[in-house]
């Protein structure tokens, strides 16, 4: 495993996410036939072009050191499951239900998710790159070292979530719900945000001067300031 890397702090002092997962560790995985999907568990396996109506994982089930290319699943249930040191490329999953699951060192690239039910989850070392995400429910989740890069998100719900070292780079967010969130080193400067719900929950986040200008009316309203003229 590669040593944990760290991007230096910028002028603002905002600390970037840190990642220690090296995808190269999965390069030698044995490719399994799609007809054998799940027959021997999910540890140290690679699958390509798997199409399923449903993929169900139970509480305590683990997906570890696996690679999935071109995964098409109508409904993916993984409540209480664990995803560890795995990669998803080109996935298309309209419904993902993974409340109270645990994610550690997971890469997701060039994928589409509809609704993602991930409340009460723990995410550490997670990267989404060039992904299209619908409604992402991260209520009461604990996020550490998470990055969204070149993604489109319809709505991300961080109600009562705890987030540290989370970054959004070249990412479009239609609606961000930060109500009751606890944010530390959360970098929103790379995000194009359409609407913020729970503005006070952004305390601890870093925004750009341009974003501040756009948020000024809402901030003034929150502070009870009347702006005229």
């Amino acid at each position: 495993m590669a040593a944990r890397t760290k991007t230096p702090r910028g002028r603002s002092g905002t600390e970037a996410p840190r990642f220690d997962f090296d995808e190269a560790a999965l390069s030698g995985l044995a490719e399994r036939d799609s007809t054998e999907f799940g027959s021997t568990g999910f540890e140290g396996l690679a699958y390509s072009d798997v199409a399923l109506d449903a993929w169900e994982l139970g509480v305590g089930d683990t997906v570890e050191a696996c690679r999935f290319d071109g995964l098409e699943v109508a409904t993916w249930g993984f409540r209480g499951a664990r995803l560890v040191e795995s990669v998803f490329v080109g996935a298309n999953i309209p419904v993902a239900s993974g409340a109270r699951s645990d994610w550690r060192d997971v890469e997701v690239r060039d994928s589409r998710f509809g609704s993602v039910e991930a409340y009460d989850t723990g995410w550490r070392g997670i990267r989404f790159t060039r992904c299209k995400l619908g409604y992402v429910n991260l209520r009461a989740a604990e996020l550490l070292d998470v990055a969204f890069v070149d993604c489109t998100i319809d709505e991300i719900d961080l109600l009562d979530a705890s987030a540290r070292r989370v970054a959004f780079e070249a990412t479009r967010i239609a609606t961000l719900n930060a109500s009751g969130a606890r944010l530390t080193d959360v970098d929103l400067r790379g995000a194009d945000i359409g609407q913020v719900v729970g503005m006070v929950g952004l305390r601890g986040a870093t925004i750009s001067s341009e974003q501040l200008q756009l948020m000024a009316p809402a901030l003034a309203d929150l502070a009870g300031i009347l702006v005229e003229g």
Side-chain angles (χ1 to χ4, degrees):
M1 178 179 292
R4 181 174 286 273
T5 59
K6 173 182 174 181
T7 302
R9 288 178 179 267
R11 293 180 183 177
S12 67
T14 303
E15 192 171 350
R18 308 174 184 178
F19 302 101
D20 62 3
F21 173 54
D22 186 356
E23 185 179 340
L26 305 181
S27 61
L29 294 180
E31 186 82 20
R32 301 296 298 267
D33 189 274
S34 61
T35 60
E36 300 175 324
F37 191 82
S39 61
T40 57
F42 295 98
E43 183 174 355
L45 301 174
Y47 288 97
S48 296
D49 301 322
V50 173
L52 302 169
D53 289 332
W55 178 17
E56 294 295 331
L57 295 169
V59 175
D61 287 347
T62 299
V63 175
E64 183 170 1
C66 289
R67 181 182 178 94
F68 303 90
D69 288 279
L71 181 65
E72 297 264 353
V73 181
T75 303
W76 181 21
F78 53 102
R79 287 174 176 257
R82 298 179 65 244
L83 278 65
V84 182
E85 296 183 349
S86 294
V87 175
F88 296 79
V89 180
N92 184 11
I93 303 176
V95 179
S97 179
R100 302 183 179 90
S101 57
D102 182 52
W103 297 37
R104 179 170 58 82
D105 298 328
V106 176
E107 297 263 2
V108 185
R109 295 197 304 273
D110 302 307
S111 297
R112 298 176 62 89
F113 287 80
S115 62
V116 181
E117 185 181 80
Y119 61 83
D120 288 333
T121 56
W123 284 13
R124 178 171 180 173
I126 311 303
R127 280 184 283 194
F128 288 86
T129 304
R130 296 182 301 276
C131 291
K132 172 70 171 69
L133 307 168
Y135 174 59
V136 183
N137 182 352
L138 287 167
R139 294 188 173 195
E142 294 189 4
L143 313 179
L144 176 63
D145 298 321
V146 177
F148 295 87
V149 181
D150 195 15
C151 293
T152 300
I153 305 171
D154 291 340
E155 181 176 355
I156 183 165
D157 191 343
L158 298 176
L159 176 71
D160 295 334
S162 174
R164 181 184 177 197
R165 295 197 298 264
V166 176
F168 298 84
E169 180 181 341
T171 289
R172 170 77 169 91
I173 304 172
T175 301
L176 167 63
N177 185 353
S179 302
R182 298 173 303 282
L183 309 182
T184 304
D185 290 316
V186 172
D187 196 341
L188 295 171
R189 288 173 293 182
D192 178 4
I193 305 172
Q195 176 186 12
V196 175
V197 177
M199 187 74 70
V200 72
L202 292 183
R203 182 188 300 271
T206 301
I207 63 174
S208 67
S209 57
E210 291 81 3
Q211 289 171 323
L212 176 59
Q213 291 177 9
L214 292 172
M215 294 180 185
L219 291 172
D221 184 64
L222 184 65
I225 299 173
L226 180 63
V227 180
E228 295 182 344

